Amino acid sequence: LRVASAAVRRTRATAYTMLRLLPRGVALVVRPTATTRLLARQLPSAARWLSSEPSSSSIDAPPRDTQQPPSSDGAAATENGAETSSSAVGLSSETAVFLRILTNRMSTDQPDEVIELFTERKASGGELPAAAWTKLFEAYASKGESKAMLLAKLAEMKETGVVPEAETFDVALACCARGASGDAAADPAADVADALALREQMAACDAKPTMSTFESLITVQLRANDIPSARALMEEMHQTRVAGRYRASIAYLAACVESNQLDEAVTYLGELHASQRPPGGNDMRRLLRGFTAKRHLSGAMTTAEMMLEMQDTFDPMPLIVTMANLHAFDEHPARAELLLGKCVRLIRPDMQPAYWNKDRLHVLTRCLPLLPDTSSKMTVLNVINLRRFKSRELTRAVHSIANAGVQAVDDAYHALEDMAQAGTPVATGTLNNVIQMCGNIQDLDRAVETFEAISKPPFNLKPDVDSYNALMMAAHREREVGAVMQVHIKMREAGIEPNAETYRVLIMSKLADQNVLMAHELLQQAVDAGKQSAGQYAVLINFHLGIRVYGNHGAKKRNVPKAVELRDAAHEHGLKLNPPVLEGLERALSERARVHDDASSGGGAEADSSDYEEAFTPVMGAAGKAAIGSVSPTESGGATGGDAAASSEAGKASSSGLGAT
């Protein structure tokens, strides 16, 4: 009864078929429930049969007057609610059940079983109405059979004396629209001829064209490149009232996309827009998906621009990926960048992880420099940080915002604040980017405020190791060595273990204070902890070569052999140094060789760092392994030459000033 009552909401014939299939031999007690009342309204005769007093062991068949339940439109209906032709009226109950089985098999994608059932029934001499032939055609079409086979089956159907329905012709026309054997590169002219012949047969059989009929005919004409005929069919569809003007226009656009007449689709879409009759949101989204799937740049961009003009929403990532892959930012830079800025506002960071695959995240990172405003950049940065995607473009974006000045950094923070207040998830890594921006503009106060805001509303997050690293780097940029160590102590107290970047910042801080011994000791501790990195070695190599990096002035005298030793140690650990570091070392080696050659030839030049190297080696070999977080006056032993006393005093001052800092 529940199955029957659910089906009644669609058609009476379907419900009646369900009632006919109730198993026999089962006692049934009918109560005056909502189900029986619904059946009483929709199926009077069947309801009387059900409401009659049942026997103790079985239910008799319904009276003869219920064999063909009345229908308001005089036509039976299929299981999915679609109307069938009037030839279905007057069929025997056995044939009706057979049709229902065929419909069920097609709906569950079992075309082979449909063909087998049809063949068996034909061999047994059973009744085969037009609807059964239609299901057979659908089964062959779903298997990708050739157009010739369907036309042969249509001729066989006529020989048996069965008049084809409009739906039967529609299946054959759809096959013509796909081309012979479904190949779009087949003979379009032959397909047009076959389609026109089928339409003449429809008229002879008094079968009225349907929406599907016109869609197939339009597609056939478009595949043959006959655009005027296709447009004439669209007008005929409207004039014959098969579809309204709007639906006819949408059908024409869909046919253009299906038949790869994409330029014609863009042209007609522009005409609709000019006449103030653009397609609706859902139809525009389907068009956008079609253009992006066909990789048609002009169509995708035009559709997106129209949707944005209508203030409609869509999934922006397929469009952004298409524009990037088809070089829209090179061929149409102004238009593409303007559209990109508008599309970024539609990005939803809370999409499922599977949505944000590596290709989409990579495209977003490449688009970062093209975004026009800080808010858009922060939206993309937040998406990338939420997925923990690593890219150098993030660092470049952070620098570009910081280079725009203090106001841009404040705008970046306020953009994240607005996201959090709107319920959009904000990644801790994105707030870390803001701390990095504050460090780039050398504003330690703003960096500290941003760090403290991480754990407060509206973010309510927990600082991670990268948060502390960013704050330490901001302190280092202002040459606040004591502040760097203080932040590191706080990180240890919070139970957060240092990573490779932590050791790198600590090494840089010690080198900025000319504390070479402690810098090398930190490197050794990073190696012992298995957290060594190429960046740590690069910082020390640049220092010994006298190259200024991140405010470090470098050693007072170059120590090229020590730089070579560090390079070899990095290679032993399987680390790959950046080309600029290696190039700087090669230049230093070349200059050193030239100086020695000049000295040996009597040119009066002296070796540039021999005295320093001899004095430096005992210093490096000295004992004194201090903990990373501790600072003692002995750290000043890393200074060289006559500056030892001065550096010792600096070390004491640094040690005594930690608490205050």
Side-chain angles (χ1 to χ4, degrees):
L1 283 173
R2 285 194 295 271
V3 173
S5 61
V8 176
R9 296 185 178 89
R10 302 178 186 174
T11 66
R12 281 180 268 189
T14 303
Y16 179 70
T17 303
M18 293 294 180
L19 296 174
R20 289 281 294 150
L21 295 178
L22 284 173
R24 292 180 173 273
V26 180
L28 182 65
V29 177
V30 178
R31 294 185 175 88
T33 62
T35 300
T36 55
R37 286 196 295 272
L38 177 61
L39 289 173
R41 287 198 304 271
Q42 300 291 338
L43 292 172
S45 56
R48 287 196 301 271
W49 167 54
L50 285 174
S51 300
S52 61
E53 184 178 355
S55 61
S56 59
S57 60
S58 66
I59 300 177
D60 296 331
R64 186 173 298 275
D65 62 346
T66 64
Q67 292 292 328
Q68 297 177 14
S71 177
S72 60
D73 56 359
T78 60
E79 186 176 3
N80 61 2
E83 294 182 356
T84 62
S85 73
S86 58
S87 62
V89 178
L91 297 177
S92 65
S93 59
E94 181 187 6
T95 304
V97 172
F98 175 70
L99 289 176
R100 192 63 48 205
I101 293 173
L102 294 183
T103 302
N104 177 268
R105 296 301 183 271
M106 282 303 302
S107 64
T108 55
D109 195 18
Q110 301 181 58
D112 291 327
E113 190 165 349
V114 170
I115 296 172
E116 182 181 354
L117 290 171
F118 185 93
T119 304
E120 291 177 356
R121 188 169 180 83
K122 182 180 178 183
S124 63
E127 182 182 5
L128 291 172
W133 285 90
T134 302
K135 295 302 176 186
L136 177 68
F137 286 8
E138 291 176 1
Y140 279 127
S142 66
K143 287 172 59 66
E145 295 292 349
S146 65
K147 175 185 64 176
M149 171 177 281
L150 284 179
L151 295 178
K153 288 293 180 182
L154 183 61
E156 181 183 348
M157 175 183 178
K158 292 180 180 179
E159 291 175 359
T160 60
V162 180
V163 179
E165 302 175 323
E167 289 80 1
T168 312
F169 286 107
D170 287 344
V171 177
L173 284 170
C175 190
C176 293
R178 288 193 299 269
S181 300
D183 186 6
D187 186 3
D191 293 332
V192 171
D194 292 336
L196 294 178
L198 285 171
R199 188 178 185 188
E200 292 178 358
Q201 295 178 35
M202 286 185 70
C205 295
D206 198 21
K208 294 182 179 180
T210 65
M211 186 83 168
S212 178
T213 304
F214 281 102
E215 289 174 348
S216 298
L217 289 171
I218 291 173
T219 303
V220 169
Q221 296 289 0
L222 288 172
R223 285 186 57 247
N225 226 8
D226 191 353
I227 294 175
S229 298
R231 290 211 176 193
L233 285 167
M234 177 183 60
E235 289 298 326
E236 183 183 351
M237 188 192 314
H238 168 60
Q239 292 172 1
T240 56
R241 298 188 178 182
V242 173
R245 183 172 296 279
Y246 177 81
R247 294 315 309 169
S249 300
I250 298 303
Y252 182 74
L253 287 171
C256 288
V257 174
E258 182 181 352
S259 57
N260 289 322
Q261 289 287 351
L262 303 175
D263 292 335
E264 166 63 11
V266 175
T267 301
Y268 187 66
L269 189 60
E271 295 175 6
L272 291 177
H273 183 260
S275 62
Q276 302 296 322
R277 293 185 290 110
N282 290 332
D283 295 314
M284 290 292 281
R285 278 185 279 273
R286 280 191 287 269
L287 274 177
L288 181 59
R289 287 194 294 267
F291 282 127
T292 52
K294 301 280 187 177
R295 297 173 62 85
H296 192 267
L297 182 61
S298 176
M301 294 179 68
T302 301
T303 307
E305 289 166 347
M306 291 176 60
M307 294 183 70
L308 290 169
E309 183 180 337
M310 296 186 298
Q311 298 183 349
D312 206 343
T313 59
F314 57 91
D315 183 3
M317 282 312 302
L319 174 63
I320 295 174
V321 172
T322 300
M323 290 195 299
N325 291 340
L326 299 182
H327 311 290
F329 300 103
D330 297 329
E331 299 176 1
H332 315 283
R335 182 185 180 189
E337 290 178 16
L338 179 62
L339 185 58
L340 174 65
K342 295 179 180 179
C343 288
V344 165
R345 301 170 190 169
L346 303 178
I347 291 178
R348 293 177 54 190
D350 56 347
M351 294 292 286
Q352 295 295 327
Y355 176 84
W356 294 109
N357 55 40
K358 187 177 294 185
D359 293 336
R360 290 182 171 180
L361 292 172
H362 176 71
V363 168
L364 276 182
T365 59
R366 301 296 294 176
C367 291
L368 267 172
L370 305 176
L371 294 173
D373 56 275
T374 302
S375 178
S376 300
K377 291 181 179 180
M378 295 310 297
T379 299
V380 174
L381 281 173
N382 189 45
V383 170
I384 296 171
N385 282 307
L386 283 171
R387 304 305 161 198
R388 301 182 180 277
F389 187 74
K390 302 297 182 183
S391 172
R392 292 182 179 178
E393 294 296 338
L394 272 70
T395 305
R396 295 190 181 100
V398 169
H399 283 294
S400 68
I401 296 175
N403 291 338
V406 176
Q407 185 60 47
V409 176
D410 288 342
D411 292 343
Y413 174 79
H414 292 315
L416 296 182
E417 200 172 39
D418 293 341
M419 289 183 202
Q421 290 173 351
T424 302
V426 175
T428 306
T430 318
L431 288 163
N432 297 342
N433 293 149
V434 178
I435 299 176
Q436 294 169 357
M437 296 174 197
C438 298
N440 288 345
I441 63 175
Q442 295 185 351
D443 193 331
L444 184 57
D445 291 337
R446 274 185 167 81
V448 172
E449 290 175 6
T450 307
F451 178 86
E452 293 174 347
I454 294 177
S455 56
K456 298 178 181 178
F459 303 111
N460 297 320
L461 300 172
K462 185 178 181 180
D464 56 13
V465 63
D466 293 328
S467 306
Y468 286 95
N469 291 342
L471 187 57
M472 290 165 59
M473 190 65 185
H476 167 70
R477 286 182 180 275
E478 291 206 29
R479 305 182 65 81
E480 294 284 353
V481 180
V484 173
M485 300 307 301
Q486 189 73 12
V487 173
H488 182 256
I489 293 172
K490 293 293 184 182
M491 184 179 74
R492 287 285 199 177
E493 292 174 353
I496 297 178
E497 291 295 323
N499 60 8
E501 178 63 13
T502 309
Y503 285 104
R504 188 181 77 92
V505 177
L506 290 171
I507 290 171
M508 291 171 60
S509 177
K510 292 302 179 184
L511 293 178
D513 201 31
Q514 294 292 320
N515 195 339
V516 185
L517 175 62
M518 193 58 190
H520 280 270
E521 179 60 30
L522 287 166
L523 176 64
Q524 185 59 47
Q525 292 186 21
V527 172
D528 294 341
K531 297 178 181 179
Q532 68 275 12
S533 69
Q536 299 163 4
Y537 284 94
V539 167
L540 285 166
I541 291 173
N542 286 329
F543 176 83
H544 289 301
L545 295 179
I547 300 174
R548 179 173 179 172
V549 179
Y550 291 117
N552 291 345
H553 293 283
K556 296 183 178 180
K557 288 187 178 181
R558 291 193 303 179
N559 189 350
V560 179
K562 193 62 185 177
V564 173
E565 178 185 337
L566 289 167
R567 179 198 63 185
D568 296 340
H571 290 166
E572 289 177 4
H573 289 293
L575 302 174
K576 185 177 180 181
L577 296 171
N578 288 335
V581 177
L582 298 176
E583 291 170 4
L585 181 57
E586 291 299 326
R587 284 195 301 269
L589 288 171
S590 300
E591 293 174 5
R592 186 170 183 272
R594 178 178 54 78
V595 170
H596 280 287
D597 291 342
D598 292 344
S600 61
S601 63
E606 299 180 357
D608 63 337
S609 60
S610 57
D611 296 338
Y612 175 70
E613 291 165 9
E614 292 176 0
F616 182 80
T617 303
V619 172
M620 287 304 302
K625 293 186 177 181
I628 299 178
S630 62
V631 180
S632 64
T634 58
E635 291 181 2
S636 61
T640 59
D643 295 326
S647 62
S648 176
E649 293 298 327
K652 293 176 182 178
S654 174
S655 175
S656 61
L658 270 178
T661 304

